[in-house]
């Protein structure tokens, strides 16, 4: 899982959504990686555990998600100053905004390509 300022999450998703329709999230011990690839290029951002960003992952976990929905969820960043993102194997991504006056929680299943 990862806790970060909602403004950082919002900017990261907004920037990656310009590049492609798929965002890959990879949680590793001490860091979370966001990446997207599209027709105009690719982008990659790695956030390491710092004072503002707290990443707690015991093992590497990754998944591909639709940037369209992530961008919609990121727009809720005005509700709370921070966001919690959690992902487990074979379970949906959980995005939670929580403040003193409101709480929002979203779940997003990973994209699966047809073989």
């Amino acid at each position: 899982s990862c806790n970060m300022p909602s403004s950082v999450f919002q900017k990261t998703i907004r920037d990656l959504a310009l590049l492609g329709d798929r965002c890959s999230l990879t949680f590793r011990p001490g860091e979370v990686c966001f990446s997207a690839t599209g027709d105009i290029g690719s982008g990659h951002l790695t956030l390491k555990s710092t004072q503002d960003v707290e990443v707690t992952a015991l093992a590497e976990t990754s998944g591909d998600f639709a940037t369209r929905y992530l961008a919609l969820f990121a727009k809720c960043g005005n509700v709370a100053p921070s966001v919690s993102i959690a992902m487990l194997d074979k379970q949906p991504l959980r995005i939670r905004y929580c403040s003193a006056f409101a709480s929002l929680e979203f779940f997003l299943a990973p994209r699966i390509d047809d073989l």
Side-chain angles (χ1 to χ4, degrees), residues 1-36:
S1 69
C2 175
N3 293 317
M4 69 175 70
S6 55
S7 60
V8 172
F9 178 65
Q10 192 173 34
K11 182 176 179 353
T12 301
I13 297 301
R14 185 178 58 234
D15 291 348
L16 292 176
L18 296 173
L19 297 174
D21 64 345
R22 178 184 312 247
C23 181
S24 296
L25 270 73
T26 304
F27 287 87
R28 293 185 189 103
E31 67 182 22
V32 60
C33 300
F34 296 86
S35 60

Side-chain angles (χ1 to χ4, degrees), residues 13-73:
I13 297 301
R14 185 178 58 234
D15 291 348
L16 292 176
L18 296 173
L19 297 174
D21 64 345
R22 178 184 312 247
C23 181
S24 296
L25 270 73
T26 304
F27 287 87
R28 293 185 189 103
E31 67 182 22
V32 60
C33 300
F34 296 86
S35 60
T37 302
D39 294 337
I40 62 171
S42 62
H44 180 81
L45 175 69
T46 301
L47 298 173
K48 297 189 183 263
S49 287
T50 62
Q51 191 173 19
D52 292 337
V53 178
E54 179 187 347
V55 181
T56 54
L58 299 176
E60 184 172 323
T61 306
S62 63
D64 292 337
F65 301 92
T67 54
R68 174 183 177 195
Y69 297 111
L70 289 173
L72 289 172
F73 300 158

Side-chain angles (χ1 to χ4, degrees), residues 72-88:
L72 289 172
F73 300 158
K75 288 182 180 180
C76 296
N78 298 333
V79 171
S82 65
V83 61
S84 171
I85 305 166
M87 182 173 53
L88 297 172

